[in-house]
């Protein structure tokens, strides 16, 4: 609250960024209205899925590794508000084939953050992980402090909570333009005003805020949902998240556990595509994922494909969040690639602090970009 007066805030986009920003502001007593171009939640949003990985190891991106303990804390605050914990700490196992510059700084971060980890002897891999192709393995690292968040369940519960708190949820309300100086938006020819407007439009963000074109690129990423063959079903039913970090693979698999399907994808950004394009992944979209997964897993041809789809996220060159003031009364948020979900409630809590004047714009921009020398202090509880 600025001088005791609740702010009126318009949020554009009802993905995890928009919804958690609405949560952070409404729990501080501000009046929030969320405008979403499609249904809420929107199945074509980056945030819409059965599961997302969260973890502490971040390679050389130590700024983000250092934020992870606070990100875990704020998820717990959110789950307490929701009355349900949509997270399963299944752990993560990283499979490496040859040297990777990721390992050393990640181990340093895990040590610094006191996150338990251990090397898995390569001889144990066939017994413990019969789905993994052991060829060329040089390191296998198993860490705690990692697991699966369940985005669709989180967003459904958040939507109910926000509506109970009086947050305006406007589905099928595409924002055609934003005037960040006046804090107004136009929707279907109508101009709507507030004290602050925050644009959290995911891979569409550069359409509303053209200056973002220089910073982020929407990237079409294919994923497939699979049913493992019966002989591997038991192993998958107790599997952690699996990440194959070898250069030729760079793929991940989320296990079919806790009411979700198994999902595979890879970490190679396409940096192309239009988020309004059809979302059925073509064979061309899927081929790089299949190639990655075939290298990482044994007997990939025995898995049944249940669904394939193309999703979009934004890619920033250094894989940083963009949180910037725009005009006199606006903000824009863009999450970055594959770590936008796990950090989002923390980042939007920081943004809420800047919006209400608890910290300045430069501080929140640097902090959200993962600069290690900036700290916003304790997270909201
Ligand atoms: C395949 C895939 C795997 C991923 N894996 C992980 C992972 O394991 N861990 C992790 O942390 N992150 C992961 N991510 C990244 C993470 O999901 C995203 O960074 C995050 O969900 C982005 O959230 P957002 O709210 O910024 O964007 P979105 O969820 O896209 O939300 C933006 C919303 O704005 C709406 N919108 C756009 N334009 C307008 C307009 N003009 N008017 C009104 N509404 C508008 C959209 O319809 C959309 O609902 C993954 C992403 C993908 C695609």
């Amino acid at each position: 609250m600025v001088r005791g007066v609740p702010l009126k805030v318009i949020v554009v986009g009802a993905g995890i960024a928009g919804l958690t920003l609405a949560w952070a502001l409404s729990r501080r007593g501000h009046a929030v209205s969320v405008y979403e171009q499609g249904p809420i939640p929107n199945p074509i949003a980056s945030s819409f899925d059965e599961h997302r990985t969260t973890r502490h190891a971040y390679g050389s991106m130590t700024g983000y590794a250092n934020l992870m303990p606070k990100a875990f804390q704020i998820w717990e605050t959110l789950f307490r508000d929701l009355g349900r914990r949509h997270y399963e700490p299944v752990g993560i196992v990283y499979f490496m084939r040859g040297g990777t510059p990721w390992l050393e700084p990640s181990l340093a971060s895990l040590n610094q953050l006191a996150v338990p980890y251990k090397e898995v002897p390569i001889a144990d891999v066939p017994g413990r992980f019969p789905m993994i192709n052991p060829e060329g393995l040089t390191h296998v690292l198993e860490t705690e402090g990692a697991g699966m968040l369940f985005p669709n369940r989180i967003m459904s519960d958040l939507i109910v909570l926000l509506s109970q708190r009086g947050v305006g949820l406007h589905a099928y309300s595409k924002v055609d333009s934003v005037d960040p100086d006046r804090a107004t938006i136009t929707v279907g020819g109508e101009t709507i005003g507030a004290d602050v407007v925050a644009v959290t439009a995911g891979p569409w963000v550069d359409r509303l805020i053209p200056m973002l074109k220089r910073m982020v690129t929407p990237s079409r990423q294919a994923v497939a949902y699979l049913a493992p063959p019966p002989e591997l079903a038991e192993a998958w039913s107790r599997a952690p998240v699996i990440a194959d970090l070898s250069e030729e693979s760079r793929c991940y698999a989320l296990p079919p556990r806790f009411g979700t399907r198994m999902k595979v994808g890879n970490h190679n950004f396409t940096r192309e595509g239009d988020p309004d394009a059809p979302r059925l992944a073509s064979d061309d979209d899927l081929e790089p994922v299949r190639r990655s997964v075939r290298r990482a897993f044994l007997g990939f041809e025995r898995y049944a494909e249940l669904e394939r789809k193309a999703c979009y996220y934004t890619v920033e060159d250094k894989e940083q969040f963009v949180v910037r003031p725009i005009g006199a009364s606006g903000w824009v948020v863009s999450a970055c690639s594959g770590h936008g979900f796990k950090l989002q409630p923390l980042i939007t809590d920081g943004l809420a602090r800047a919006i209400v004047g608890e910290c300045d714009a430069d501080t929140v921009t640097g902090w959200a970009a993962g600069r290690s020398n900036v700290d916003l202090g304790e997270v909201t509880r």
Side-chain angles (χ1 to χ4, degrees):
M1 233 157 287
V2 175
R3 289 186 297 278
V5 182
L7 289 171
K8 266 177 78 179
V9 182
I10 287 173
V11 175
V12 181
I16 194 65
L19 295 175
T20 54
L21 179 60
W23 171 69
L25 288 165
S26 62
R27 71 201 300 273
R28 288 172 166 85
H30 300 281
V32 187
S33 295
V34 180
Y35 290 82
E36 165 57 48
Q37 64 181 351
I40 301 178
N42 191 338
I44 60 169
S46 301
S47 307
F48 190 91
D49 205 349
E50 295 178 19
H51 26 37
R52 288 281 179 261
T53 307
T54 184
R55 58 197 162 92
H56 283 84
Y58 253 109
S60 59
M61 297 167 75
T62 44
Y64 287 124
N66 293 341
L67 287 183
M68 283 317 299
K70 288 181 179 169
F72 275 90
Q73 273 176 35
I74 204 157
W75 277 113
E76 292 304 328
T77 306
L78 175 58
F79 295 147
R80 199 188 56 223
D81 271 14
L82 297 180
R84 258 192 291 234
R85 190 169 190 244
H86 296 300
Y87 169 63
E88 288 293 343
V90 297
I92 185 164
V93 179
Y94 301 94
F95 293 87
M96 288 157 262
R97 301 162 203 267
T100 156
W102 175 90
L103 183 60
E104 211 178 296
S106 292
L107 292 179
S109 288
L110 293 171
N111 286 330
Q112 192 200 329
L113 301 171
V115 175
Y117 67 86
K118 60 177 186 249
E119 288 259 350
V120 178
I122 290 168
D124 291 358
V125 169
R128 280 197 61 200
F129 303 104
M131 66 288 262
I132 296 294
N133 178 6
E135 204 185 304
L137 285 176
T138 49
H139 277 97
V140 180
L141 182 73
E142 180 172 31
T143 87
E144 295 180 25
M148 301 196 290
L149 292 159
F150 302 111
N152 291 354
R153 299 174 200 168
I154 291 168
M155 289 196 293
S156 295
D157 276 354
L158 245 175
I159 289 157
V160 172
L161 178 73
L162 293 176
S163 63
Q164 287 165 350
R165 288 202 175 153
V167 170
L169 296 169
H170 305 271
Y172 305 106
S173 301
K174 182 172 181 187
V175 173
D176 298 312
S177 65
V178 174
D179 182 338
D181 283 320
R182 294 191 174 78
T184 58
I185 57 171
T186 55
V187 179
E190 187 191 350
T191 300
I192 303 160
D195 300 309
V196 177
V197 58
V199 179
T200 60
W204 294 266
V205 69
D206 58 351
R207 296 185 184 181
L208 283 172
I209 311 295
M211 77 169 203
L212 267 265
K213 277 194 205 308
R214 285 183 281 116
M215 299 179 199
V216 299
T217 311
S219 189
R220 182 174 172 95
Q221 304 293 135
V223 295
Y225 300 83
L226 307 173
E231 67 273 18
L232 290 175
E234 198 278 326
W236 274 112
S237 72
R238 54 182 163 76
V241 175
I242 289 177
D244 189 306
L245 300 183
S246 58
E247 266 315 302
E248 325 77 68
S249 176
R250 291 172 50 79
C251 71
Y252 60 84
L254 286 102
R257 299 182 61 181
F258 305 102
T260 65
R261 296 172 296 172
M262 175 184 170
K263 182 178 72 199
V264 292
N266 75 13
H267 286 117
N268 297 323
F269 306 140
T270 68
R271 294 176 196 268
E272 57 188 32
D274 172 350
D276 286 330
R279 295 304 189 95
L280 181 63
S282 65
D283 283 338
D284 283 350
D285 285 323
L286 264 187
E287 190 40 38
V289 175
R290 288 192 181 125
R291 230 179 299 131
S292 302
V293 172
R294 259 188 230 113
R295 286 194 189 109
F297 296 95
L298 291 172
F300 178 54
E301 57 294 338
R302 296 200 305 279
Y303 288 67
E305 183 183 297
L306 303 171
E307 186 186 346
R308 50 166 77 184
K309 68 178 183 184
C311 318
Y312 284 79
Y313 49 52
T314 47
V315 176
E316 195 272 348
D317 278 347
K318 294 187 189 141
E319 293 202 57
Q320 296 177 344
F321 271 81
V322 176
V323 175
R324 300 263 165 138
I326 41 168
S329 309
W331 285 87
V332 63
V333 176
S334 176
C336 45
S337 62
H339 47 272
F341 198 89
K342 61 178 84 69
L343 280 156
Q344 199 62 253
L346 183 67
I347 298 293
T348 44
D349 187 65
L351 172 56
R353 292 183 193 199
I355 288 175
V356 306
E358 287 173 20
C359 67
D360 65 59
D362 284 349
T363 303
V364 79
T365 296
W367 169 83
R371 285 186 208 131
S372 328
N373 58 341
V374 193
D375 188 5
L376 288 198
E378 284 307 298
V379 300
T380 307
R381 287 173 192 275

